[in-house]
Amino acid sequence: MKAMQFAVFGHPISHSLSPVIHQAFARQFGLQLEYTAIDAAPDEFAEAVQRFFAGGGQGANVTLPHKAAAFALAGKHSVQATRVGSANVLTRLPDGGLAAHNTDGAGMVRDITERHHVDLRGHDTLLLGAGGAAHGVAWNLLDAGVESLTIVNRSPEAADALADAIGEPGRVHTRYWKDLGNIGSYDLIVNATSAGVLGTSLRLPFALAGARALCYDLSYGAAASDFLVWAKTAGARYALDGLGMLLETAADAFELWHRRRPDTEPVYQSLRRQYE
Ligand code: ATR
């Protein structure tokens, strides 16, 4: 019998951990599957996805820069994908069409609440960035019960647009990046900017991190290190990278495709050892 086929699409994609993660999950259930990393430039993405599914592909993960394009390709969209406007998982529908899902925000919240045992209710939250990654987590932070969500972005228009899209003026506010030094302190600070990936430092004021602050970078490895060093120096109670989020979002994709829930912890621990 031919192995089930899955793939992750991105550009670049060579450093993706998704193939290793999905094979580790599959071993937990004795499943045989192929999981390949497919590098597709933006103008080749739609055709590459269509070719993959026409050739028997059963599900795909989608990462930068294709998440909005993946959403547009699908004929059906989950509630979360619809509010975020992008997708990180594609599943095949019985009629051959595609369904788009977005598991990023749920994965981050589950990493914080279940792996790190922090209840987000009541947290005054600062969200740094207002691009695709920030959209992916904003609604889930609110669903998790944060007290307030302050969005700060280098270009203020994008922060305003995200706040407007959320439409909860009682809990969601925007501030200017230049004012970060005098907007008080926060219980939860989420770095959703791409500064770390681009190799630049955010140079954040230490006063932002309150005494019980949880500082969370959506990226991991070298891309997260500047923010995490800042958080530890600022005295944050927790300084977490997004490796756990990656595992949880992968587990959600796995469950959508295989109807089984993998145990993320052993895979997380094994990958964590590579980043220490
Ligand atoms: P992603 O999908 O990773 O979110 P994106 O949609 O291009 O990528 O968004 C990148 C985010 O990082 C934006 O919020 C961007 O701010 P601008 O909208 O002002 O460009 C933010 N960002 C990138 N580099 C930054 C830096 N050096 N300082 C502050 N914000 C930065």
Coordinates of all heavy atoms in Angstrom, one line a residue, residues 64 128-134 153-156 158 177 192-195 198 200-202, ligand 1:
L64 N 5.4 30.6 6.0 CA 5.7 31.9 5.3 C 6.3 31.7 3.9 O 7.1 30.7 3.8 CB 6.7 32.7 6.1 CG 6.2 33.1 7.5 CD1 7.3 33.9 8.2 CD2 4.9 33.9 7.4
L128 N 3.3 42.8 20.3 CA 4.2 43.6 19.5 C 4.2 43.1 18.0 O 4.4 41.9 17.8 CB 5.7 43.4 20.0 CG 5.9 43.9 21.4 CD1 7.2 43.4 22.0 CD2 5.9 45.5 21.5
G129 N 3.8 44.0 17.1 CA 3.6 43.5 15.7 C 2.2 43.5 15.3 O 1.3 43.3 16.2
A130 N 1.9 43.7 14.1 CA 0.5 43.6 13.6 C 0.4 43.0 12.2 O -0.5 43.2 11.4 CB -0.1 45.0 13.6
G131 N 1.4 42.1 11.9 CA 1.4 41.4 10.6 C 0.7 40.1 10.7 O -0.2 39.9 11.6
G132 N 1.1 39.2 9.8 CA 0.4 37.9 9.8 C 0.5 37.1 11.1 O -0.5 36.6 11.5
A133 N 1.6 37.1 11.7 CA 1.8 36.4 12.9 C 1.0 36.9 14.0 O 0.4 36.2 14.8 CB 3.3 36.4 13.3
A134 N 0.9 38.3 14.1 CA 0.1 38.9 15.2 C -1.4 38.6 15.0 O -2.1 38.3 15.9 CB 0.3 40.4 15.2
N153 N 2.6 48.6 17.0 CA 3.3 48.2 15.7 C 4.1 49.4 15.3 O 3.7 50.5 15.5 CB 2.3 47.8 14.6 CG 3.0 47.1 13.5 OD1 3.8 46.1 13.7 ND2 2.8 47.5 12.3
R154 N 5.3 49.1 14.6 CA 6.2 50.1 14.1 C 5.4 51.1 13.3 O 5.4 52.3 13.4 CB 7.3 49.5 13.4 CG 8.4 50.4 12.9 CD 9.5 49.6 12.3 NE 9.0 48.7 11.3 CZ 9.8 47.9 10.6 NH1 11.1 47.8 10.8 NH2 9.3 47.1 9.6
S155 N 4.6 50.5 12.3 CA 3.7 51.4 11.5 C 2.3 51.3 12.1 O 1.7 50.3 12.2 CB 3.7 51.0 10.1 OG 4.1 49.7 9.8
P156 N 1.8 52.4 12.7 CA 0.6 52.4 13.5 C -0.7 52.0 12.7 O -1.6 51.4 13.3 CB 0.5 53.9 14.0 CG 1.4 54.7 13.2 CD 2.5 53.8 12.7
A158 N -1.2 49.6 10.7 CA -1.4 48.1 10.8 C -2.0 47.7 12.1 O -2.9 46.8 12.2 CB -0.1 47.3 10.5
W177 N 4.6 52.9 18.8 CA 5.9 52.3 19.1 C 6.8 53.2 19.8 O 7.5 52.8 20.8 CB 6.5 51.8 17.8 CG 7.7 50.9 18.0 CD1 9.0 51.3 18.2 CD2 7.7 49.5 18.0 NE1 9.8 50.2 18.4 CE2 9.0 49.0 18.3 CE3 6.7 48.5 17.9 CZ2 9.3 47.7 18.4 CZ3 7.0 47.2 18.0 CH2 8.3 46.8 18.2
A192 N 5.4 39.3 18.2 CA 4.9 38.8 16.9 C 5.5 39.6 15.8 O 5.0 39.6 14.6 CB 3.4 38.8 16.9
T193 N 6.7 40.3 16.0 CA 7.3 41.0 14.9 C 8.3 40.0 14.2 O 8.6 38.9 14.8 CB 8.2 42.2 15.4 OG1 9.4 41.7 16.0 CG2 7.4 43.1 16.3
S194 N 8.7 40.3 13.0 CA 9.7 39.5 12.3 C 11.1 40.0 12.5 O 12.0 39.6 11.8 CB 9.3 39.4 10.8 OG 9.2 40.7 10.3
A195 N 11.3 40.9 13.5 CA 12.6 41.5 13.7 C 13.7 40.5 13.9 O 14.8 40.5 13.4 CB 12.6 42.5 14.9
L198 N 14.7 38.6 10.9 CA 15.5 39.5 10.1 C 16.8 39.9 10.7 O 17.6 40.6 10.1 CB 14.7 40.8 9.8 CG 13.3 40.6 9.1 CD1 12.5 41.9 9.0 CD2 13.5 40.1 7.7
T200 N 17.4 41.7 13.4 CA 17.5 43.0 14.1 C 17.0 43.0 15.5 O 16.2 42.1 15.8 CB 16.7 44.1 13.3 OG1 15.4 43.6 13.0 CG2 17.4 44.5 12.0
S201 N 17.5 43.9 16.3 CA 17.0 43.9 17.7 C 15.9 44.9 17.9 O 15.9 46.0 17.3 CB 18.2 44.4 18.6 OG 17.8 44.6 19.9
L202 N 14.9 44.6 18.8 CA 13.8 45.5 19.0 C 14.2 46.6 20.0 O 13.5 47.7 20.0 CB 12.6 44.8 19.5 CG 11.9 43.8 18.6 CD1 10.8 43.1 19.3 CD2 11.3 44.7 17.4
Ligands
ATR1 P1 4.7 37.9 9.8 O1 3.9 37.0 8.9 O2 6.0 37.2 10.4 O3 3.9 38.6 10.9 P2 4.7 40.3 8.4 O4 3.2 40.1 8.1 O5 5.6 40.8 7.3 O6 5.3 39.0 8.8 O7 4.8 41.3 9.6 C1 6.1 41.6 10.2 C2 5.8 42.4 11.5 O8 7.1 42.6 12.1 C3 5.2 43.7 11.2 O9 4.3 44.0 12.3 C4 6.4 44.7 11.2 O10 6.1 46.0 11.5 P3 5.7 47.0 10.3 O11 4.3 46.7 10.0 O12 5.9 48.4 10.8 O13 6.6 46.7 9.1 C5 7.2 44.0 12.3 N1 8.7 44.3 12.3 C6 9.6 43.8 11.4 N2 10.8 44.3 11.7 C7 10.7 45.2 12.8 C8 11.5 46.0 13.5 N3 12.9 46.0 13.3 N4 11.0 46.7 14.5 C9 9.7 46.7 14.8 N5 8.8 45.9 14.1 C10 9.3 45.2 13.1

